[in-house]
Amino acid sequence: MVTEVKKWQWFYRLGSPRWFYEITGRWLPWLLCAASLLLASGLFWGLLVAPPDARQGNSFRIIYLHVPAAILALVGYYIMALAGAVGLIWRIKMSFMVMKSAAPIGAALTFIALFTGAVWGKPSWGTYWVWDARITSMLILLFLYLGVLALQRAFSSAEMAYRASAILALVGTINIPIIYKSVDWWHTLHQPATLKLTSASSIHIDMLQPLIVMICGFYVFYVVALCLFTRAEIIRREATSAWVRALVSNESSR
Amino acid sequence: MARTPSFLAYVRRDVLLAYRRLGDTVAPLIFFTMVCTLVPLGLSPDPQRLSEIAPGIMWIMALLATLLSIERIFAFDFEDGSLEQLLIAPQLIALPVLAKIVAHWLVTGLPLTLLSPLLAMTLSLPTSAYPAMLLSLAIGSAYLSAVGAVGASLTVSLGRGGLLLPLLVVPLYMPIMIFGTATVFYAVDGLHWSGPLAAMGAMLCAALALCPLAAAAALRVTSA
Amino acid sequence: MCMDVPVPQDYLLSTNELCFERDGRRLFEGINLRLKAGEMVLIEGPNGCGKTTLMRLLTTLLSPTSGALCYRGEPLEKVRYEYLADLLYIGHQSAVKLALSAEENLAWMAASEGIHDPKSVRAALRSMGLGAVYDLPCHQLSAGQVRRVALSRLVLTRAKLWFLDEPLTALDTEGIGLITGRLQGHLDSGGAIVLISHQDLAIGAVRNYDLTKRCA
């Protein structure tokens, strides 16, 4: 019995909000440095150094925001659902807090992807909005995020809200591939693929390198944002606990 | 070990309850009919134009009619305490939940499907597309009931009349609507429509297997 | 093993250091309830101390934050379905469908336990003083009569463990008398009852469990 406890100690320690708060406090400065370094160099490289696109000129450069945001928006949903699943299965409160924090970040990234897509659409398609397959899928993803956000805020009991929204996120996860496939199919049904976006594979290597830097930068930035949101959630939830009180009194006496 | 009611007993009970509250039960059907009347009024009475959009209109209205009624799948049981009794029944809760989904389809989706030819006629849908429309609505509305049950179970304790349930469920309804309308469009164009219909069938099978489990888990959480 | 000290099988229900928190707020802790056949426990405490919550924990509608529940000395994870099949719970909401008649309601509740016998359903309703109204839809009955419909389950059930949360609300003196008699009969035949009630009951073997001491 005792060895059993020891074996799983790291797992349960991971589930301790206090431990999470302290360890992320130590990591955050480094992560923040890495994120700003990657994002600054990626932006500099992409916006100033990389050559303009033969067909689209300089307007293509918005992909350096659009593509990483879109990727992280989708990945973020899976991270959210995974955190929710861990919370539901092992009853780890910490995991639910991560899940709750992932929702607004993901929704914001989805919105950024949609917005930059619209801005990009104006010079390349002549209109801000077309019912393109990817844009439509992105819009549905935003709706899925909004559903989770709304459900999280609907319950008076925080624990109930955690678990209910985790179930919703899991249901959404199963649906995302179906949504993407069906929207793709729907799009080919209604209009032949004349308006094709530059796909990542046909992109020139000089343009691709900064994009990869930007994607990495967005990943690190995502982790930073997730940590910050989760730390705020921890303080909110654990406000009555002794260690948070000690922390607050330390901060205010400083 | 005590015996629990059979699957069919649960279905029968819910259908009986729906029958006793007939006014509530037919309201979505009347809504379906009325909103379909709005289309020629708001758009154009031109049969040519109507027939072009009829499949989409029928499907959107069917979806809205389901949304209107899906909340009730657990709401009454939550209010009068039957849900508590269900949750402490010595059996897998997913089974009665599936029965409730079937019952909901029997009193909403099925009548809606049977009503659809009448409305399709007023919207000048070509008669050749009727079989495709009937089948796609029958399968699709069952899917709507199954997925809707998950949304209803998540929001059951949040009080009634909320706008939250549609917000959760509509994004999940989009794929089935794409295939549903496509089936009818294919039939109108004289193409083989078995492809999208098969996709709908596959989605329905998956939904019937997974949604009762998800809804049962959600009920345990939200009605605690 | 459920407990450090083995619990004899004759305890129908026993709990070990049951503790419940909601949103980080501890409602109560250290609940050690033991219930033998023929015993009745009356849960006491002021409003808001968690009586109903404890009832919902005992009926598995809620899960405890820590601690364990045992049925006949076995931990609940092992014997969950046996336990559920042996318990009867009547909560604040009586699970009576107002659109159905008293007879239809009771027939369903009996069927939930595997009892399919129209005659005994009718007889149970008669014994609860509902003989004249058994075929009326329940929305035509008074609150007290609806309560009687819900409580007529007690006449039919085969469950040993009864959990009753304020069963006497809306009942008149005659109704209270009927229920008291039924509870006594259940205890005499080897059943056990956990009860929340603000009204005094004329039953001999009542053990009081004061929840105030366990509240955090």
Side-chain angles (χ1 to χ4, degrees):
Chain A
M1 195 65 192
V2 177
T3 49
E4 189 84 346
V5 169
K6 270 207 178 132
K7 202 166 116 193
W8 288 97
Q9 216 162 29
W10 64 271
F11 194 67
Y12 286 106
R13 218 171 49 181
L14 202 71
S16 142
R18 184 180 183 179
W19 184 83
F20 183 95
Y21 192 88
E22 283 166 0
I23 201 88
T24 51
R26 257 177 279 152
W27 289 353
L28 263 178
W30 299 104
L31 286 170
L32 207 57
C33 281
S36 9
L37 207 68
L38 281 167
L39 289 178
S41 57
L43 278 178
F44 180 77
W45 194 352
L47 297 186
L48 300 171
V49 181
D53 185 72
R55 212 151 34 89
Q56 300 188 35
N58 280 324
S59 72
F60 92 95
R61 293 184 198 277
I62 203 158
I63 64 162
Y64 295 118
L65 281 180
H66 177 74
V67 173
I71 290 176
L72 261 298
L74 189 56
V75 171
Y77 199 92
Y78 280 88
I79 291 175
M80 178 175 76
L82 195 71
V86 170
L88 283 175
I89 296 167
W90 286 287
R91 296 178 167 225
I92 296 175
K93 200 163 55 166
M94 193 57 243
S95 189
F96 283 131
M97 293 182 185
V98 172
M99 180 210 68
K100 185 176 181 188
S101 315
I105 304 171
L109 284 168
T110 316
F111 182 76
I112 290 172
L114 278 171
F115 183 78
T116 52
V119 171
W120 188 17
K122 187 66 182 168
S124 44
W125 295 329
T127 168
Y128 286 111
W129 187 266
V130 288
W131 288 97
D132 169 74
R134 288 192 212 183
I135 293 178
T136 310
S137 303
M138 222 41 183
L139 185 65
I140 301 178
L141 183 67
L142 181 65
F143 291 154
L144 288 176
Y145 270 122
L146 290 181
V148 174
L149 278 170
L151 194 64
Q152 278 174 348
R153 275 146 189 80
F155 288 94
S156 52
S157 153
E159 275 166 32
M160 215 185 263
Y162 284 154
R163 297 170 66 193
S165 52
I167 293 174
L168 181 65
L170 282 172
V171 172
T173 314
I174 298 172
N175 271 275
I176 284 178
I178 304 174
I179 291 171
Y180 272 69
K181 279 282 166 219
S182 64
V183 170
D184 259 353
W185 182 79
W186 159 80
H187 191 246
T188 56
L189 190 71
H190 285 272
Q191 50 192 121
T194 43
L195 306 168
K196 197 161 172 282
L197 284 168
T198 5
S199 58
S201 55
S202 66
I203 194 172
H204 191 269
I205 187 76
D206 288 342
M207 299 171 179
L208 187 62
Q209 282 162 343
L211 183 60
I212 289 170
V213 175
M214 281 304 286
I215 292 174
C216 295
F218 260 71
Y219 263 101
V220 184
F221 168 76
Y222 181 88
V223 174
V224 170
L226 192 59
C227 286
L228 286 174
F229 271 73
T230 310
R231 284 160 66 87
E233 177 71 10
I234 290 174
I235 297 294
R236 211 175 303 139
R237 279 278 84 77
E238 305 274 298
T240 50
S241 72
W243 72 270
V244 172
R245 284 190 184 169
L247 193 82
V248 172
S249 61
N250 277 350
E251 289 280 319
S252 50
S253 65
R254 205 185 283 171
Chain B
M1 184 109 188
R3 300 231 342 262
T4 49
S6 68
F7 179 78
L8 277 178
Y10 278 112
V11 176
R12 219 179 296 129
R13 174 175 161 88
D14 267 33
V15 172
L16 175 67
L17 280 167
Y19 174 69
R20 291 284 166 85
R21 284 189 289 250
L22 205 57
D24 277 4
T25 311
V26 295
L29 300 175
I30 298 171
F31 173 81
F32 181 61
T33 320
M34 275 170 42
V35 182
C36 281
T37 323
L38 289 181
V39 177
L41 292 178
L43 220 66
S44 134
D46 176 21
Q48 183 60 38
R49 280 183 72 184
L50 282 177
S51 72
E52 273 171 30
I53 51 165
I57 297 293
M58 302 281 297
W59 252 94
I60 292 172
M61 295 318 152
L63 196 150
L64 292 180
T66 309
L67 270 184
L68 210 65
S69 64
I70 194 69
E71 182 193 22
R72 289 202 307 258
I73 192 170
F74 299 122
F76 289 130
D77 282 355
F78 177 76
E79 281 165 15
D80 66 22
S82 307
L83 198 59
E84 283 178 343
Q85 297 295 332
L86 190 78
L87 289 175
I88 56 170
Q91 65 177 351
L92 212 62
I93 309 305
L95 194 78
V97 170
L98 181 63
K100 284 188 158 296
I101 291 170
V102 171
H104 181 263
W105 179 75
L106 283 175
V107 300
T108 315
L110 187 62
L112 221 124
T113 308
L114 298 177
L115 199 62
S116 65
L118 199 68
L119 297 167
M121 193 188 68
T122 66
L123 294 177
S124 319
L125 187 79
T127 5
S128 59
Y130 279 22
M133 180 192 65
L134 282 169
L135 275 174
S136 84
L137 275 178
I139 295 177
S141 58
Y143 182 88
L144 298 179
S145 294
V147 174
V150 180
S153 63
L154 285 167
T155 52
V156 70
S157 61
L158 295 176
R160 303 185 52 197
L163 262 171
L164 192 56
L165 176 57
L167 203 70
L168 307 186
V169 171
V170 169
L172 306 176
Y173 279 175
M174 289 175 183
I176 198 80
M177 206 193 73
I178 289 174
F179 289 119
T181 47
T183 309
V184 190
F185 276 126
Y186 272 30
V188 172
D189 294 345
L191 303 168
H192 284 295
W193 41 269
S194 56
L197 194 71
M200 292 177 76
M203 284 172 71
L204 176 62
C205 290
L208 288 180
L210 296 176
C211 289
L213 294 173
L219 285 175
R220 282 219 179 281
V221 170
T222 52
S223 65
Chain C
M1 203 62 239
C2 189
M3 312 219 169
D4 304 334
V5 188
V7 184
Q9 296 247 322
D10 55 337
Y11 282 111
L12 278 177
L13 172 71
S14 51
T15 71
N16 183 28
E17 294 295 325
L18 221 53
C19 163
F20 185 73
E21 285 178 13
R22 181 174 277 152
D23 288 336
R25 198 173 74 91
R26 183 158 297 189
L27 226 59
F28 45 70
E29 59 195 340
I31 303 283
N32 290 305
L33 256 176
R34 292 194 171 189
L35 197 59
K36 264 189 195 167
E39 279 186 332
M40 177 159 112
V41 168
L42 180 69
I43 302 174
E44 288 186 315
N47 293 124
C49 75
K51 295 190 295 291
T52 296
T53 305
L54 177 59
M55 196 69 118
R56 293 173 73 84
L57 278 177
L58 296 177
T59 51
T60 73
L61 281 166
L62 287 172
S63 342
T65 308
S66 64
L69 247 157
C70 293
Y71 171 63
R72 293 180 192 274
E74 296 273 347
L76 206 60
E77 300 86 71
K78 275 196 204 161
V79 291
R80 190 182 160 80
Y81 282 170
E82 286 88 333
Y83 178 64
L84 290 178
D86 205 14
L87 80 74
L88 175 133
Y89 168 62
I90 300 180
H92 284 260
Q93 294 133 328
S94 48
V96 171
K97 290 277 177 199
L98 295 183
L100 301 182
S101 71
E103 189 182 20
E104 285 167 323
N105 267 301
L106 188 60
W108 173 258
M109 290 166 182
S112 310
E113 288 186 47
I115 302 168
H116 304 274
D117 181 8
K119 266 188 199 156
S120 63
V121 166
R122 200 72 70 82
L125 288 171
R126 255 199 308 275
S127 74
M128 290 296 289
L130 295 164
V133 293
Y134 71 91
D135 56 350
L136 288 182
C138 284
H139 60 72
Q140 292 185 17
L141 306 185
S142 73
Q145 283 174 314
V146 170
R147 197 76 210 167
R148 284 185 186 213
V149 174
L151 290 170
S152 48
R153 282 177 78 183
L154 301 180
V155 181
L156 280 180
T157 185
R158 291 178 195 143
K160 272 232 154 129
L161 270 162
W162 291 3
F163 295 88
L164 309 175
D165 193 347
E166 297 283 5
L168 305 179
T169 34
L171 283 188
D172 53 14
T173 340
E174 185 213 358
I176 293 175
L178 279 171
I179 295 306
T180 315
R182 186 66 200 104
L183 297 187
Q184 188 64 61
H186 182 60
L187 294 176
D188 292 343
S189 65
I193 303 170
V194 179
L195 182 78
I196 299 175
S197 177
H198 285 107
Q199 275 152 300
D200 285 325
L201 282 171
I203 290 180
V206 182
R207 200 143 53 80
N208 290 15
Y209 190 85
D210 195 354
L211 202 57
T212 14
K213 290 179 215 150
R214 306 284 169 209
C215 284

